[in-house]
Amino acid sequence: MNYTIKQVSEKTHLKPHVLRYYEREGLLPFVDRSESGIRRYSEEDLEWLSLICCLKNTGMAIKQIREFVELSLQGKETLKERCSMLIVHKKEVENQIAGLQKYLCKVDHKITYFTDQYEKYLDEKCEIGAVSHGSD
Amino acid sequence: MNYTIKQVSEKTHLKPHVLRYYEREGLLPFVDRSESGIRRYSEEDLEWLSLICCLKNTGMAIKQIREFVELSLQGKETLKERCSMLIVHKKEVENQIAGLQKYLCKVDHKITYFTDQYEKYLDEKCEIGAVSHGSD
DNA sequence: TCTTGACTTAAAGTTAACGTTAAGGTTTAC
DNA sequence: GTAAACCTTAACGTTAACTTTAAGTCAAGA
């Protein structure tokens, strides 16, 4: 089964020009073409795209994804190297998550603090309102 | 206690030109100056910077941080609005974390897959080696 | 006194990752 | 068969977040 660029665009939520851009940047080489030069994506291409998105959305730069793809094209001799790359990246993602969780705590504390402040503020307004009403 | 731009740079790991840039962009207004125009950061400025870094490192754009800062400058009437902003942002951070965790699983699966493939590859090489050794 | 080095500003440059436009060829629906 | 909706490439534009450069001020040490 083959897919047009539009179909792939809908599946991956990447716009057609982004798919072309990725191809141009060496992230997805050897996409098949029809006689008239129109891209025909295979299931394998879709799987590649899925991994590419995974790496990209976890912060890997396109440059480095290209390096990974180039290694893949060189065959099984690069399996170990690719594995190392992924292990390093995994640690980076874990660090990202840990960092975000720490910041999440901080945001949470701020929310609590602001909520308290807001209640105090409402109380103050209420008191002033009561006093000014009493002094009528 | 006051700090020079260099001291703040060391404390926050933000380079001096970045601190000036943030100030110019309205993220840290009203930093005190010496008679000759040199910045003197207060403890309060440092606390502000800490929150700014928290928001920035969790993906909030500088533009939006500026909006948050501008609201803060308007006083207690904006407490509710600021609180809402943080609650929305909190959800975004939670989504980020959830997304990353999903991707982390995928990376992990790939690592497992590659490790397996690598072992198979070594076995193959070993077999070929053994055969060619046997046929010597 | 002079020069070294940290500070100041304004403005231009850089980078990544797209996004847009122009100019044209192809396919499909009516 | 023709118009709309696709597809193609090349090249230039945009945005965010810095980063660098140029040109100048100021205080301290040899």
Side-chain angles (χ1 to χ4, degrees):
Chain A
M1 189 58 190
N2 287 327
Y3 305 93
T4 67
I5 202 168
K6 204 187 180 190
Q7 287 169 326
V8 176
S9 171
E10 278 157 9
K11 271 178 186 285
T12 60
H13 306 288
L14 296 169
K15 287 178 182 169
H17 71 253
V18 176
L19 289 168
R20 292 190 205 105
Y21 166 69
Y22 283 177
E23 193 179 329
R24 205 163 55 243
E25 292 297 313
L27 268 51
L28 193 63
F30 309 130
V31 173
D32 208 35
R33 304 290 184 108
S34 76
E35 281 185 9
S36 53
I38 289 169
R39 288 170 179 80
R40 295 286 161 192
Y41 294 85
S42 67
E43 295 287 351
E44 212 192 323
D45 291 330
L46 286 186
E47 272 175 49
W48 261 114
L49 265 177
S50 161
L51 181 58
I52 287 165
C53 287
C54 172
L55 295 176
K56 213 197 64 59
N57 291 333
T58 48
M60 191 181 280
I62 281 179
K63 215 175 192 173
Q64 212 188 340
I65 299 176
R66 175 170 49 215
E67 283 172 29
F68 183 85
V69 171
E70 278 166 4
L71 284 176
S72 306
L73 293 178
Q74 286 167 38
K76 292 187 177 178
E77 304 121 57
T78 65
L79 266 171
K80 200 180 178 182
E81 199 175 339
R82 280 182 274 160
C83 209
S84 315
M85 273 186 84
L86 288 189
I87 287 168
V88 169
H89 187 63
K90 181 191 166 183
K91 277 175 196 156
E92 284 169 5
V93 177
E94 283 168 345
N95 289 342
Q96 274 184 65
I97 291 173
L100 283 178
Q101 262 155 355
K102 227 175 160 184
Y103 283 127
L104 189 61
C105 282
K106 182 158 184 140
V107 172
D108 235 358
H109 282 111
K110 268 291 171 204
I111 290 171
T112 309
Y113 176 73
F114 278 6
T115 306
D116 285 359
Q117 291 291 309
Y118 182 59
E119 273 169 26
K120 275 190 199 168
Y121 165 69
L122 287 185
D123 284 354
E124 274 171 38
K125 263 180 79 171
C126 185
E127 260 176 53
I128 291 163
V131 167
S132 69
H133 184 75
S135 69
D136 269 347
Chain B
M1 188 60 188
N2 286 328
Y3 306 93
T4 66
I5 201 167
K6 205 185 179 191
Q7 288 168 327
V8 176
S9 170
E10 279 156 7
K11 271 177 186 283
T12 60
H13 306 290
L14 296 170
K15 288 180 179 165
H17 70 253
V18 177
L19 289 168
R20 291 191 202 103
Y21 166 69
Y22 283 178
E23 193 179 328
R24 205 163 57 243
E25 293 296 315
L27 268 52
L28 194 62
F30 309 130
V31 174
D32 208 34
R33 302 292 183 106
S34 77
E35 280 186 8
S36 53
I38 289 170
R39 288 172 180 78
R40 296 285 161 190
Y41 294 85
S42 67
E43 294 288 352
E44 211 193 322
D45 290 330
L46 288 185
E47 272 175 49
W48 261 114
L49 265 177
S50 160
L51 181 58
I52 287 164
C53 286
C54 172
L55 295 177
K56 212 197 65 60
N57 292 332
T58 47
M60 192 183 280
I62 283 181
K63 215 175 192 172
Q64 211 188 340
I65 300 176
R66 176 172 46 217
E67 282 173 29
F68 183 85
V69 171
E70 278 166 5
L71 283 177
S72 306
L73 293 178
Q74 287 168 36
K76 292 187 175 176
E77 303 121 58
T78 64
L79 267 169
K80 200 178 178 183
E81 199 175 338
R82 279 181 274 160
C83 209
S84 314
M85 271 185 86
L86 289 188
I87 288 168
V88 168
H89 187 63
K90 182 190 165 181
K91 276 175 197 158
E92 283 168 6
V93 176
E94 283 169 345
N95 289 343
Q96 273 184 66
I97 292 173
L100 284 177
Q101 262 154 355
K102 226 173 160 185
Y103 283 126
L104 189 62
C105 281
K106 184 157 183 140
V107 172
D108 234 358
H109 281 110
K110 267 292 173 204
I111 289 171
T112 309
Y113 176 74
F114 279 7
T115 307
D116 284 0
Q117 291 291 308
Y118 182 58
E119 273 168 28
K120 275 189 199 170
Y121 166 69
L122 287 184
D123 284 353
E124 275 170 36
K125 263 179 80 171
C126 185
E127 259 175 57
I128 292 162
V131 167
S132 68
H133 183 75
S135 68
D136 269 348

